CSV table of all heavy atoms in Angstrom, one decimal:
chain,number,residue,atom,x,y,z
A,1,LYS,N,-9.1,-30.1,-21.5
A,1,LYS,CA,-10.4,-29.5,-22.1
A,1,LYS,C,-10.3,-28.1,-22.3
A,1,LYS,O,-11.2,-27.5,-23.1
A,1,LYS,CB,-11.5,-29.9,-21.2
A,1,LYS,CG,-11.8,-31.4,-21.1
A,1,LYS,CD,-13.0,-31.6,-20.4
A,1,LYS,CE,-13.4,-33.1,-20.2
A,1,LYS,NZ,-14.5,-33.5,-19.4
A,2,LEU,N,-9.4,-27.2,-21.7
A,2,LEU,CA,-9.3,-25.9,-22.0
A,2,LEU,C,-10.4,-25.1,-21.4
A,2,LEU,O,-10.9,-24.1,-22.0
A,2,LEU,CB,-9.0,-25.5,-23.4
A,2,LEU,CG,-7.6,-26.0,-23.9
A,2,LEU,CD1,-7.5,-25.6,-25.4
A,2,LEU,CD2,-6.5,-25.6,-23.1
A,3,SER,N,-11.1,-25.6,-20.4
A,3,SER,CA,-12.3,-24.9,-19.7
A,3,SER,C,-11.7,-23.7,-18.9
A,3,SER,O,-10.7,-23.9,-18.2
A,3,SER,CB,-13.1,-25.9,-18.8
A,3,SER,OG,-13.5,-26.9,-19.6
A,4,LEU,N,-12.3,-22.6,-19.0
A,4,LEU,CA,-12.0,-21.5,-18.1
A,4,LEU,C,-12.2,-21.7,-16.7
A,4,LEU,O,-13.4,-22.0,-16.3
A,4,LEU,CB,-12.7,-20.1,-18.6
A,4,LEU,CG,-12.4,-18.9,-17.9
A,4,LEU,CD1,-10.9,-18.5,-18.1
A,4,LEU,CD2,-13.2,-17.7,-18.5
A,5,ILE,N,-11.2,-21.7,-15.9
A,5,ILE,CA,-11.3,-21.9,-14.4
A,5,ILE,C,-10.9,-20.8,-13.6
A,5,ILE,O,-11.1,-20.8,-12.4
A,5,ILE,CB,-10.6,-23.1,-14.0
A,5,ILE,CG1,-9.1,-23.1,-14.3
A,5,ILE,CG2,-11.2,-24.4,-14.6
A,5,ILE,CD1,-8.3,-24.2,-13.8
A,6,GLY,N,-10.1,-19.8,-14.2
A,6,GLY,CA,-9.8,-18.6,-13.4
A,6,GLY,C,-9.4,-17.5,-14.3
A,6,GLY,O,-9.0,-17.6,-15.6
A,7,VAL,N,-9.4,-16.2,-13.8
A,7,VAL,CA,-9.1,-15.0,-14.5
A,7,VAL,C,-8.6,-14.0,-13.5
A,7,VAL,O,-8.8,-14.1,-12.3
A,7,VAL,CB,-10.3,-14.4,-15.2
A,7,VAL,CG1,-11.3,-14.1,-14.2
A,7,VAL,CG2,-10.0,-13.3,-16.2
A,8,ILE,N,-7.7,-13.2,-14.1
A,8,ILE,CA,-7.2,-12.0,-13.3
A,8,ILE,C,-6.8,-10.9,-14.3
A,8,ILE,O,-6.5,-11.2,-15.4
A,8,ILE,CB,-6.0,-12.4,-12.5
A,8,ILE,CG1,-5.7,-11.4,-11.4
A,8,ILE,CG2,-4.7,-12.6,-13.4
A,8,ILE,CD1,-4.7,-12.0,-10.3
A,9,GLY,N,-7.1,-9.7,-13.8
A,9,GLY,CA,-6.8,-8.6,-14.7
A,9,GLY,C,-5.9,-7.5,-14.0
A,9,GLY,O,-5.8,-7.5,-12.8
A,10,VAL,N,-5.4,-6.6,-14.8
A,10,VAL,CA,-4.6,-5.5,-14.3
A,10,VAL,C,-4.8,-4.3,-15.1
A,10,VAL,O,-4.9,-4.4,-16.4
A,10,VAL,CB,-3.1,-5.9,-14.2
A,10,VAL,CG1,-2.5,-6.1,-15.5
A,10,VAL,CG2,-2.3,-4.8,-13.4
A,11,GLU,N,-5.0,-3.2,-14.5
A,11,GLU,CA,-5.1,-1.8,-15.2
A,11,GLU,C,-4.0,-1.1,-14.9
A,11,GLU,O,-3.5,-0.9,-13.8
A,11,GLU,CB,-6.5,-1.2,-14.7
A,11,GLU,CG,-7.7,-2.1,-14.9
A,11,GLU,CD,-9.0,-1.5,-14.3
A,11,GLU,OE1,-8.9,-0.6,-13.5
A,11,GLU,OE2,-10.0,-1.9,-14.8
A,12,GLN,N,-3.5,-0.4,-16.1
A,12,GLN,CA,-2.2,0.3,-15.9
A,12,GLN,C,-2.3,1.8,-15.7
A,12,GLN,O,-3.1,2.5,-16.3
A,12,GLN,CB,-1.5,0.1,-17.3
A,12,GLN,CG,-1.2,-1.3,-17.6
A,12,GLN,CD,-0.7,-1.5,-19.0
A,12,GLN,OE1,-1.4,-2.2,-19.8
A,12,GLN,NE2,0.5,-1.1,-19.3
A,13,GLY,N,-1.6,2.3,-14.7
A,13,GLY,CA,-1.4,3.7,-14.5
A,13,GLY,C,0.0,4.1,-15.0
A,13,GLY,O,0.8,3.3,-15.5
A,14,PRO,N,0.3,5.4,-14.8
A,14,PRO,CA,1.7,5.9,-15.4
A,14,PRO,C,2.8,5.2,-14.6
A,14,PRO,O,3.8,4.9,-15.2
A,14,PRO,CB,1.6,7.4,-15.2
A,14,PRO,CG,0.6,7.6,-14.2
A,14,PRO,CD,-0.5,6.5,-14.3
A,15,GLU,N,2.6,5.0,-13.3
A,15,GLU,CA,3.7,4.5,-12.5
A,15,GLU,C,3.3,3.4,-11.5
A,15,GLU,O,4.2,2.8,-10.9
A,15,GLU,CB,4.3,5.6,-11.6
A,15,GLU,CG,4.9,6.8,-12.3
A,15,GLU,CD,6.1,6.5,-13.3
A,15,GLU,OE1,6.7,5.4,-13.0
A,15,GLU,OE2,6.3,7.2,-14.3
A,16,ALA,N,2.1,3.0,-11.6
A,16,ALA,CA,1.6,1.9,-10.7
A,16,ALA,C,0.5,1.2,-11.5
A,16,ALA,O,0.0,1.7,-12.5
A,16,ALA,CB,1.1,2.4,-9.3
A,17,ALA,N,0.1,0.1,-11.0
A,17,ALA,CA,-1.0,-0.7,-11.6
A,17,ALA,C,-2.1,-1.2,-10.6
A,17,ALA,O,-1.8,-1.2,-9.4
A,17,ALA,CB,-0.4,-2.0,-12.3
A,18,LEU,N,-3.3,-1.5,-11.0
A,18,LEU,CA,-4.3,-1.9,-10.3
A,18,LEU,C,-4.8,-3.3,-10.7
A,18,LEU,O,-5.2,-3.6,-11.8
A,18,LEU,CB,-5.6,-0.9,-10.4
A,18,LEU,CG,-6.8,-1.3,-9.7
A,18,LEU,CD1,-6.6,-1.0,-8.2
A,18,LEU,CD2,-8.0,-0.3,-10.2
A,19,LEU,N,-4.7,-4.2,-9.7
A,19,LEU,CA,-5.1,-5.6,-9.8
A,19,LEU,C,-6.6,-5.7,-9.7
A,19,LEU,O,-7.2,-5.0,-8.8
A,19,LEU,CB,-4.4,-6.5,-8.8
A,19,LEU,CG,-4.6,-8.0,-8.9
A,19,LEU,CD1,-3.4,-8.7,-8.2
A,19,LEU,CD2,-5.9,-8.4,-8.1
A,20,ARG,N,-7.4,-6.5,-10.5
A,20,ARG,CA,-8.8,-6.6,-10.4
A,20,ARG,C,-9.2,-7.9,-11.0
A,20,ARG,O,-8.5,-8.6,-11.6
A,20,ARG,CB,-9.5,-5.4,-11.1
A,20,ARG,CG,-9.2,-5.3,-12.7
A,20,ARG,CD,-10.2,-4.5,-13.5
A,20,ARG,NE,-11.5,-5.1,-13.4
A,20,ARG,CZ,-12.7,-4.5,-13.9
A,20,ARG,NH1,-12.5,-3.3,-14.5
A,20,ARG,NH2,-13.8,-5.1,-14.0
A,21,SER,N,-10.5,-8.2,-10.9
A,21,SER,CA,-11.2,-9.2,-11.5
A,21,SER,C,-10.5,-10.6,-11.3
A,21,SER,O,-10.4,-11.4,-12.1
A,21,SER,CB,-11.3,-9.0,-13.0
A,21,SER,OG,-12.0,-7.8,-13.4
A,22,ALA,N,-10.1,-10.8,-10.1
A,22,ALA,CA,-9.5,-12.1,-9.7
A,22,ALA,C,-10.5,-13.0,-9.3
A,22,ALA,O,-11.2,-12.9,-8.3
A,22,ALA,CB,-8.5,-11.8,-8.6
A,23,LEU,N,-10.6,-14.1,-10.0
A,23,LEU,CA,-11.7,-15.2,-9.7
A,23,LEU,C,-11.3,-16.5,-10.1
A,23,LEU,O,-10.7,-16.6,-11.3
A,23,LEU,CB,-13.0,-14.7,-10.4
A,23,LEU,CG,-14.2,-15.7,-10.3
A,23,LEU,CD1,-14.7,-15.7,-8.8
A,23,LEU,CD2,-15.3,-15.3,-11.3
A,24,VAL,N,-11.5,-17.5,-9.2
A,24,VAL,CA,-11.2,-19.0,-9.6
A,24,VAL,C,-12.6,-19.6,-9.3
A,24,VAL,O,-13.3,-19.3,-8.3
A,24,VAL,CB,-10.2,-19.6,-8.8
A,24,VAL,CG1,-10.0,-21.0,-9.0
A,24,VAL,CG2,-8.8,-18.8,-9.2
A,25,VAL,N,-13.0,-20.5,-10.1
A,25,VAL,CA,-14.3,-21.2,-9.9
A,25,VAL,C,-14.2,-22.1,-8.6
A,25,VAL,O,-13.1,-22.5,-8.2
A,25,VAL,CB,-14.6,-22.2,-11.1
A,25,VAL,CG1,-14.9,-21.5,-12.4
A,25,VAL,CG2,-13.5,-23.3,-11.3
A,26,PRO,N,-15.3,-22.1,-7.8
A,26,PRO,CA,-15.2,-22.7,-6.5
A,26,PRO,C,-14.6,-24.1,-6.5
A,26,PRO,O,-13.8,-24.4,-5.6
A,26,PRO,CB,-16.6,-22.7,-6.1
A,26,PRO,CG,-17.3,-21.6,-6.8
A,26,PRO,CD,-16.6,-21.6,-8.2
A,27,GLU,N,-14.8,-25.0,-7.4
A,27,GLU,CA,-14.4,-26.3,-7.4
A,27,GLU,C,-12.8,-26.4,-7.6
A,27,GLU,O,-12.3,-27.5,-7.4
A,27,GLU,CB,-15.1,-27.2,-8.4
A,27,GLU,CG,-15.0,-26.8,-9.8
A,27,GLU,CD,-16.0,-25.9,-10.3
A,27,GLU,OE1,-16.6,-25.1,-9.4
A,27,GLU,OE2,-16.3,-25.8,-11.5
A,28,LYS,N,-12.2,-25.3,-8.1
A,28,LYS,CA,-10.8,-25.4,-8.4
A,28,LYS,C,-10.0,-24.6,-7.4
A,28,LYS,O,-8.7,-24.3,-7.6
A,28,LYS,CB,-10.5,-24.9,-9.9
A,28,LYS,CG,-11.2,-25.8,-10.9
A,28,LYS,CD,-10.7,-27.2,-10.8
A,28,LYS,CE,-11.4,-28.0,-11.9
A,28,LYS,NZ,-11.1,-29.4,-11.9
A,29,ARG,N,-10.7,-24.0,-6.4
A,29,ARG,CA,-9.9,-23.2,-5.3
A,29,ARG,C,-9.0,-24.1,-4.5
A,29,ARG,O,-9.2,-25.2,-4.3
A,29,ARG,CB,-10.9,-22.3,-4.6
A,29,ARG,CG,-11.6,-21.3,-5.4
A,29,ARG,CD,-12.6,-20.6,-4.7
A,29,ARG,NE,-13.4,-19.8,-5.7
A,29,ARG,CZ,-14.6,-19.1,-5.4
A,29,ARG,NH1,-15.2,-19.3,-4.2
A,29,ARG,NH2,-15.1,-18.4,-6.3
A,30,ALA,N,-8.0,-23.4,-4.0
A,30,ALA,CA,-7.0,-24.0,-3.0
A,30,ALA,C,-6.2,-25.1,-3.8
A,30,ALA,O,-5.9,-26.1,-3.1
A,30,ALA,CB,-7.7,-24.6,-1.8
A,31,GLN,N,-6.1,-25.0,-5.0
A,31,GLN,CA,-5.3,-26.0,-5.8
A,31,GLN,C,-4.2,-25.3,-6.7
A,31,GLN,O,-3.7,-25.9,-7.5
A,31,GLN,CB,-6.3,-26.7,-6.7
A,31,GLN,CG,-7.3,-27.5,-5.9
A,31,GLN,CD,-8.2,-28.4,-6.8
A,31,GLN,OE1,-7.7,-29.2,-7.5
A,31,GLN,NE2,-9.5,-28.3,-6.8
A,32,GLY,N,-3.9,-24.1,-6.3
A,32,GLY,CA,-2.7,-23.5,-6.9
A,32,GLY,C,-3.1,-22.6,-8.1
A,32,GLY,O,-2.2,-21.9,-8.7
A,33,VAL,N,-4.3,-22.5,-8.5
A,33,VAL,CA,-4.7,-21.7,-9.7
A,33,VAL,C,-4.6,-20.3,-9.3
A,33,VAL,O,-4.1,-19.4,-10.1
A,33,VAL,CB,-6.2,-22.1,-10.1
A,33,VAL,CG1,-6.5,-21.3,-11.4
A,33,VAL,CG2,-6.3,-23.6,-10.4
């Protein structure tokens, strides 16, 4: 169905990156997403 069940983001620095906005819908957690 292509329903959105998870998202993750990364913000770029010159030599490192910042992980953010990591979210999985409750009913799909602990299933590898």
